[in-house]
Amino acid sequence: REIATIDTFSAEKGTENIRILSPFANVSTPYKVTIDGIQKWHAVCGIEALGVWVFFPGKVVQVDTYCRDCGEVMLLKLRDGQVIEQSPDRIVAHLGIPVARWFDDLVYA
């Protein structure tokens, strides 16, 4: 219950089941995270996916997703905070709602 005071934490309503604890999501999201060839994580969002590498120093963190507008497949590989591969060559983040409203429903922000 103490962890519930963290701004980037969300539990299933009426339960103690963790939905998100940024940058990780405990539910399926479009941001699949793979470490050492094992995909068992999801990032909360594209921005949060950029921070996953912090938990895996020296490892290659791969994030697979797709563009919500056109469906183009997107890939990002990071190691120790450095982008080592990306596709397409240019990736732009789009925020679907104003940042001031993120905490209205953090899981879907």
Side-chain angles (χ1 to χ4, degrees), residues 84-97:
I84 58 174
E85 184 181 337
Q86 74 180 54
S87 176
D89 292 335
R90 184 169 179 245
I91 297 175
V92 176
H94 171 75
L95 304 177
I97 64 170

Side-chain angles (χ1 to χ4, degrees), residues 95-106 109:
L95 304 177
I97 64 170
V99 174
R101 292 190 24 225
W102 278 4
F103 293 104
D104 292 350
D105 191 349
L106 191 58

Side-chain angles (χ1 to χ4, degrees), residues 33-41 59-62 77:
V33 177
T34 302
I35 313 295
D36 284 345
I38 300 171
Q39 194 285 304
K40 62 179 180 180
W41 300 271
K59 307 270 186 189
V60 174
V61 175
Q62 178 173 320
K77 288 185 181 179

Side-chain angles (χ1 to χ4, degrees), residues 1-43:
R1 291 186 181 136
E2 289 176 21
I3 202 169
T5 61
I6 299 172
D7 287 343
T8 57
F9 169 83
S10 176
E12 293 284 341
K13 292 185 183 195
T15 75
E16 292 184 356
N17 296 332
I18 297 172
R19 284 193 80 171
I20 65 170
L21 181 55
S22 291
F24 298 99
N26 199 28
V27 294
S28 182
T29 72
Y31 306 94
K32 294 179 181 177
V33 177
T34 302
I35 313 295
D36 284 345
I38 300 171
Q39 194 285 304
K40 62 179 180 180
W41 300 271
H42 287 85

